[in-house]
Amino acid sequence: MENATIAADALTEVQHQRLAALQDTLLPASADGTLPSAREIDFPAYLREQAPEFRAELIRILDRLDGGFPDLALERRVELVREFSQSDAPAFRRLLFRVYDSYYQDDRVRLAIGARPGPPFPGGHSIPAGDLSSLEAVKARGKGYRR
Amino acid sequence: MAEMAASPNNDPVDVLIIGAGASGAAIAWSLTETRMRILCLEQGDWMSSSHYPTTRKNWEAQQFGAFHVDPNVRGRDTDYPVNVTDSPIDVLNFNAVGGSTINYAAHFPRLHPSDFRVRSLDGVADDWPVTYDDLEPYFVQNDRIMGVSGLAGDPMYPPKQPPLPPLPIGRVGEVVAAGFDRLGWHWWPSDAAILSQPYEGRDRCLNLNTCMTGCSQGAKGSTDITYWPEAIRSGIELRTRCRVREVTVNEHGMADGAIYYDADGRECFQKAEVVIMACNGVGTPRILLNSRSPQFPDGLANRSGLVGKNLMFHPVALATGVFEERLDTHMGPNGCCILSKEFYETDPERGFVRGYNMQVTRGSGGPLATAMRGLANGDIPWGPGHHEKFRRRFDRTVQCLAVCEDLPEECNRVTLDPDLKDSNGIPAPKVTYRLSENSRKMLAHGLERGKEVMRAAGAVEIIETPLLRPAGWHLLGTARMGSDPERSVVNSWGRSHDVKNLFIVDGSIFVTAGGVNPTSTIQALALYIGDRIKANLANLFDD
């Protein structure tokens, strides 16, 4: 089953490990434990369903990472990713966009930040009408336009 | 024309409208009662509400891709590129039935009475050949058709009564309104072409906060769901995926049709008795400048040399307030909350003429947009510090835009790019634009006042954007109205001075820009021109 997944994602086991470490570097779990690490997001599934065009670039990025990257401490991984972000800013930005997008679609994440899971339509939102009573004072200032 | 492929139904028509956006839809609807044969050519598609991003989990990501407001980023095959390398402001639009009403915020103020009389009142630019009072009945008619929500009684306007009650201003509106109140400044709920109640078979706004990627609910008044259905029921033909290359002229120098590319890329010719341009302030001069002939070697209707010149945007300065409390800013219409006209009219003591609208909007939007904009601003990092900073921003940022009046200057212009072309090989428009000293002073003033109101409202942090680059929604002035053929392109009812059967009805014909979003005025003008055409049908082409 694991091999089948690897084949479908076109990621090797090593690449999977690097991806998880990379996700965790970009968005680690929050200190208070309310927000998960991005490594808990099924990024290969996201790629398959929503961003297949990014897969080749992702593989290139993963293959650029040092072989020991997954085993490094977070601080060291941050340093290495920062170097990558400075050496190839466009590629880094595309990667970050995809990691953010997959993360902030996740129902657990959305609930934790106070956003309703799923797309906004058709449920929509309710917002209060708001207090308009101070407009009486605005009106009392009189006509404010010129002809 | 013999070598051109035959296109379906390309029999001659009485009226050919080019562009199916805000103004093209309005004038099509207006002319239905003439019973003339009317055809509209639109380069884009019909949009479907079920295909808008809001129905899918990746709804937020699409605003950075297929539904981006910038055609150069969006890059749909129905878009054309725009060279903005010589402009500090990017051109934004959408190309579809409905045009940019598909992805506009639907903030729907009218120009003010003084906006039509800037020369008389302030000694700058030119007065319009029409007045607010001329357009007033058409504002009312347009509000009814588009479905405008708002609150009567704003002392900054002559009396007006929006057909629907105002949208909820929510926590955002309450908090910022309190700031305006503390400063003693004007504020008012925004007029919006968004339904606060069910209306004319359309349902009310669901506060999706996705106005700028298309409204799945159909509560936002885009012309594909307002004007067009009625116009088509009345017999007008609308042909999509037809990209016009040029308007042609006969031996008498009259427009006689248009050459366009159909959905299969075939070059076609459509003959017409009257041609109406409705392609916005960049698209219209692009086509006119590309319509060169022995009679018009510098482009059609361009004997004044003014086609493409006097381009006006609304330069925008932005004060983003960060609040400690949650303000529900990822809910509700993006761009329509409250506004202030405190600094709209000229005050010489400010050091500039004319003024600006303060438009309060709902900040960064959803979580992905919050994270990406925070990254761009450098205030939400990736990595271990992300969550803490994100929490301080998400649902807690409010924007106050100073939407500044730009004055016409001939150096600000649209020309044809010598190299860049669209997918049909038509030259792309090139925008050359610089900010005037007056605009710079106004932007600086607006930014400071925006910061002031955010502080008064309780913002704990303020992010400054002195000039917003992605702000070129409002494309105005490139084929201006006027009575003098040497100083204007069209007359007071949109008819070309040079070509008596060529009309322009979009934002190109604005003489000045005002300091408010122009769609309401663009459409009122189109309806006004429609009535003038109908009133003059018997002698439409006379001097």
Side-chain angles (χ1 to χ4, degrees):
Chain A
M1 189 63 196
E2 187 177 342
N3 285 341
T5 302
I6 291 170
D9 298 340
L11 294 181
T12 65
E13 185 58 35
V14 169
Q15 288 167 337
H16 268 291
Q17 290 171 5
R18 291 180 184 177
L19 172 61
L22 187 55
Q23 289 174 276
D24 186 64
T25 310
L26 295 171
L27 289 173
S30 62
D32 62 6
T34 57
L35 285 158
S37 162
R39 75 158 65 227
E40 294 183 34
I41 306 298
D42 187 350
F43 197 79
Y46 164 82
L47 272 186
R48 248 191 337 267
E49 294 164 11
Q50 298 184 32
E53 75 285 355
F54 183 65
R55 187 163 56 190
E57 181 164 26
L58 174 67
I59 290 172
R60 282 196 297 275
I61 291 169
L62 296 175
D63 288 346
R64 286 167 61 169
L65 293 173
D66 183 88
F69 182 79
D71 302 321
L72 298 172
L74 177 60
E75 292 74 16
R76 179 60 186 145
R77 282 188 272 132
V78 167
E79 286 176 15
L80 291 174
V81 172
R82 181 159 294 122
E83 287 173 16
F84 165 49
S85 74
Q86 290 163 352
S87 66
D88 192 349
F92 175 74
R93 188 179 165 84
R94 288 190 289 272
L95 168 71
L96 192 60
F97 176 78
R98 289 298 166 197
V99 172
Y100 279 0
D101 185 30
S102 62
Y103 187 76
Y104 285 113
Q105 286 183 31
D106 185 84
D107 290 353
R108 290 167 299 168
V109 173
R110 295 186 67 82
L111 285 168
I113 63 172
R116 207 186 56 216
F121 186 79
H125 304 286
S126 291
I127 59 176
D131 182 5
L132 304 181
S133 60
S134 70
L135 288 176
E136 290 306 315
V138 175
K139 280 194 271 191
R141 297 172 63 194
K143 172 188 157 189
Y145 61 91
R146 297 183 296 167
R147 281 198 177 271
Chain B
M1 306 300 167
E3 71 277 13
M4 291 184 196
S7 67
N9 308 316
N10 66 345
D11 295 334
V13 296
D14 298 312
V15 179
L16 173 63
I17 300 170
I18 303 174
S23 62
I27 195 148
W29 176 89
S30 173
L31 295 179
T32 53
E33 67 186 74
T34 64
R35 300 294 172 193
M36 293 189 288
R37 179 158 184 213
I38 301 171
L39 167 68
C40 178
L41 297 179
E42 164 57 47
Q43 67 188 317
D45 291 311
W46 281 98
M47 300 303 289
S48 164
S49 62
S50 63
H51 292 156
Y52 287 142
T54 37
T55 58
R56 280 165 274 174
K57 286 196 77 170
N58 67 346
W59 58 276
E60 264 207 284
Q62 294 197 54
Q63 69 184 284
F64 296 92
F67 282 84
H68 201 287
V69 292
D70 185 335
N72 289 338
V73 179
R74 191 171 60 231
R76 290 171 178 247
D77 59 357
T78 46
D79 288 318
Y80 56 88
V82 183
N83 183 341
V84 288
T85 53
D86 283 343
S87 170
I89 297 174
D90 291 336
V91 169
L92 312 177
N93 67 16
F94 203 80
N95 294 299
V97 177
S100 299
T101 64
I102 294 294
N103 63 350
Y104 75 154
H107 191 249
F108 221 65
R110 304 172 180 182
L111 260 65
H112 291 229
S114 66
D115 292 327
F116 298 88
R117 305 186 63 243
V118 297
R119 166 62 68 179
S120 298
L121 291 172
D122 296 324
V124 292
D126 289 296
D127 289 351
W128 292 47
V130 295
T131 67
Y132 181 92
D133 291 337
D134 291 330
L135 296 185
E136 203 273 341
Y138 302 96
F139 280 127
V140 173
Q141 188 175 39
N142 190 55
D143 284 357
R144 180 181 61 75
I145 296 167
M146 293 293 280
V148 171
S149 300
L151 183 67
D154 185 351
M156 291 300 189
Y157 275 103
K160 58 187 172 69
Q161 178 64 59
L164 292 160
L167 294 167
I169 65 171
R171 286 289 299 139
V172 181
E174 281 191 336
V175 166
V176 182
F180 282 115
D181 287 339
R182 286 182 194 113
L183 293 166
W185 293 353
H186 167 269
W187 70 273
W188 205 259
S190 300
D191 283 356
I194 298 173
L195 304 183
S196 57
Q197 294 179 350
Y199 180 75
E200 301 281 333
R202 295 161 51 206
D203 211 346
R204 69 169 180 83
C205 175
L206 288 175
N207 301 304
L208 303 175
N209 196 240
T210 55
C211 309
M212 294 165 77
T213 53
C215 180
S216 300
Q217 171 78 341
K220 190 180 80 169
S222 50
T223 60
D224 58 325
I225 60 171
T226 56
Y227 279 104
W228 276 117
E230 194 171 335
I232 289 169
R233 276 196 299 273
S234 300
I236 292 186
E237 182 187 358
L238 172 53
R239 215 177 282 167
T240 57
R241 287 210 170 234
C242 294
R243 175 175 279 154
V244 171
R245 185 183 76 197
E246 62 183 278
V247 176
T248 54
V249 291
N250 62 21
E251 65 275 21
H252 305 295
M254 299 285 275
D256 67 354
I259 298 171
Y260 68 97
Y261 296 97
D262 70 10
D264 298 319
R266 293 178 302 180
E267 188 177 304
C268 307
F269 175 67
Q270 176 61 54
K271 190 169 177 55
E273 297 296 323
V274 171
V275 175
I276 299 177
M277 303 297 295
C279 311
N280 80 41
V282 167
T284 285
R286 176 199 187 200
I287 292 175
L288 293 179
L289 292 171
N290 201 44
S291 302
R292 286 188 289 254
S293 62
Q295 297 102 315
F296 297 97
D298 299 320
L300 189 61
N302 194 26
R303 288 187 178 133
S304 66
L306 292 175
V307 170
K309 293 182 179 172
N310 296 300
L311 172 68
M312 295 172 284
F313 293 121
H314 285 127
V316 171
L318 182 60
T320 302
V322 183
F323 292 77
E324 286 192 333
E325 60 186 305
R326 293 191 71 131
L327 297 176
D328 299 338
T329 56
H330 75 289
M331 309 173 188
N334 302 94
C336 302
C337 185
I338 65 172
L339 53 74
S340 172
K341 299 294 175 64
E342 186 68 25
F343 305 101
Y344 195 82
E345 300 287 354
T346 295
D347 179 347
E349 292 190 359
R350 294 183 198 134
F352 55 86
V353 289
R354 309 298 300 157
Y356 55 89
N357 178 38
M358 299 176 84
Q359 182 181 349
V360 175
T361 71
R362 288 187 164 81
S364 294
L368 176 62
T370 299
M372 292 306 295
R373 290 188 182 127
L375 182 74
N377 291 336
D379 57 13
I380 306 181
W382 54 269
H386 178 84
H387 297 302
E388 184 188 349
K389 288 284 192 180
F390 178 90
R391 278 190 176 122
R392 291 185 192 171
R393 295 286 187 273
F394 177 62
D395 229 18
R396 292 170 170 84
T397 59
V398 183
Q399 295 176 328
C400 183
L401 290 70
V403 180
C404 296
E405 173 162 355
D406 207 3
L407 289 169
E409 296 180 277
E410 289 191 20
C411 60
N412 291 334
R413 63 195 186 274
V414 176
T415 54
L416 296 179
D417 192 285
D419 303 312
L420 188 64
K421 292 178 170 42
D422 68 20
S423 58
N424 292 112
I426 304 172
K430 174 178 169 56
V431 171
T432 304
Y433 179 90
R434 65 162 179 81
L435 285 169
S436 69
E437 193 57 25
N438 195 67
S439 292
R440 288 181 191 281
K441 289 178 178 173
M442 200 184 305
L443 283 161
H445 191 274
L447 180 60
E448 290 306 312
R449 300 295 83 73
K451 288 160 59 181
E452 208 171 330
V453 76
M454 285 298 157
R455 278 194 293 269
V460 294
E461 190 181 339
I462 295 171
I463 302 163
E464 301 179 26
T465 307
L467 176 68
L468 188 67
R469 184 168 180 96
W473 284 109
H474 310 152
L475 313 170
L476 308 167
T478 50
R480 64 203 318 244
M481 285 193 293
S483 54
D484 182 352
E486 292 188 359
R487 300 191 62 243
S488 57
V489 177
V490 298
N491 69 8
S492 63
W493 45 293
R495 193 184 71 175
S496 159
H497 293 304
D498 300 341
V499 185
K500 305 294 187 206
N501 64 343
L502 175 70
F503 292 79
I504 305 175
V505 297
D506 56 54
S508 306
I509 64 176
F510 275 38
V511 180
T512 54
V516 295
N517 308 43
T519 305
S520 169
T521 307
I522 288 171
Q523 293 185 301
L525 259 178
L527 295 174
Y528 170 83
I529 292 169
D531 268 9
R532 297 286 77 72
I533 290 174
K534 287 180 280 188
N536 289 286
L537 269 183
N539 50 1
L540 195 58
F541 308 145
D542 291 355
D543 287 330

